[in-house]
Amino acid sequence: MMMHQVKVERLLVNYKTLEKFKRFKEYGNQELSMLEDLESNIIENNSESPFFGIYYGNALVARMSLYKVDAKYDQYFTPPQDYLELWKLEVLPDYQGRGYGSRLVDFAKEYQLPIKTNPRINSHGFWEKMGFQKAKYNMERDLGENPLIWTPEGVAEQSVS
Ligand code: COA
């Protein structure tokens, strides 16, 4: 199968998308506040969300949230720089192992910015394969996190102690 042809699209915030999100395990506060914002007209129907996804026919089968963090909030890279926070990467069980997860990560890499993620337990093998490494970071501020990072070539490597 030629996975590079699988289309990654930015998801719009609407009731239909939020309904599709219910099939994902990591459905939580972010989705609930989107729903509230829609209901109270704080956000418009069909406004852009931080989510990107892959459709298989009409079914949303894989998704991730991706947003840019300003260098002034960076505590993962040296020197501090703008980076992408990637989270909620998830492929529905029936669609795992078909390259959708790596397609989404490759899509994020195309921005040529460093990427930081907090992997779920059990997914370390996947992230290793994607070229992510443990981040050296400010432990006191991020207790309980186990961040992994990736840097594009040409961007300063994080300093390793
Ligand atoms: N551990 C080790 N390697 C893994 C892996 C894992 N949990 N999941 C995928 N891989 C490997 C694949 O074998 C593949 O290797 P290959 O290129 O040599 O064939 C590569 O990573 C890319 O796999 P891909 O098909 O893109 O993965 P995916 O679409 O299934 O997405 C996850 C990966 C982890 C995002 C997805 O499976 C998921 O959402 N899982 C949900 C829960 C979870 O974390 N499960 C972990 C296993 S219990």
Side-chain angles (χ1 to χ4, degrees):
M1 222 186 296
M2 297 172 76
M3 280 307 170
H4 60 270
Q5 291 179 335
V6 172
K7 196 173 138 210
V8 175
E9 42 195 297
R10 186 188 278 277
L11 304 179
L12 301 176
V13 187
N14 55 43
Y15 293 103
K16 221 168 152 185
T17 304
L18 286 167
E19 196 55 39
K20 291 177 192 293
F21 280 174
K22 286 186 182 160
R23 296 186 62 192
F24 291 81
K25 270 197 243 165
E26 288 192 63
Y27 184 93
N29 289 339
Q30 194 182 9
E31 289 83 356
L32 292 172
S33 74
M34 276 181 182
L35 184 62
E36 280 171 17
D37 291 351
L38 258 185
E39 284 171 345
S40 53
N41 296 313
I42 290 171
I43 47 172
E44 273 175 62
N45 196 35
N46 292 328
S47 49
E48 282 193 351
S49 79
F51 283 97
F52 292 84
I54 294 172
Y55 280 89
Y56 188 89
N58 277 328
L60 181 67
V61 299
R63 70 166 191 177
M64 69 175 167
S65 173
L66 194 65
Y67 64 85
K68 196 169 156 184
V69 179
D70 193 277
K72 66 177 177 243
Y73 302 111
D74 178 15
Q75 48 178 320
Y76 301 97
F77 301 96
T78 313
Q81 49 201 291
D82 292 351
Y83 68 93
L84 293 174
E85 173 91 45
L86 191 169
W87 63 316
K88 296 205 176 192
L89 172 69
E90 189 174 340
V91 180
L92 293 182
D94 290 349
Y95 298 88
Q96 289 171 14
R98 298 190 193 183
Y100 295 148
S102 48
R103 178 71 187 89
L104 285 172
V105 175
D106 287 343
F107 178 89
K109 287 177 174 177
E110 282 164 20
Y111 286 91
Q112 289 295 303
L113 284 172
I115 303 172
K116 179 231 153 190
T117 192
N118 287 310
R120 283 182 309 260
I121 317 152
N122 292 334
S123 60
H124 278 275
F126 170 78
W127 290 108
E128 214 168 275
K129 215 157 230 177
M130 297 293 112
F132 282 66
Q133 301 174 353
K134 277 196 174 145
K136 175 180 167 267
Y137 69 110
N138 187 338
M139 298 273 271
E140 280 165 46
R141 286 181 57 181
D142 271 68
L143 224 56
E145 270 198 0
N146 190 15
L148 295 180
I149 57 168
W150 173 87
T151 48
E153 264 170 327
V155 172
E157 287 286 310
Q158 73 160 164
S159 55
V160 179
S161 57

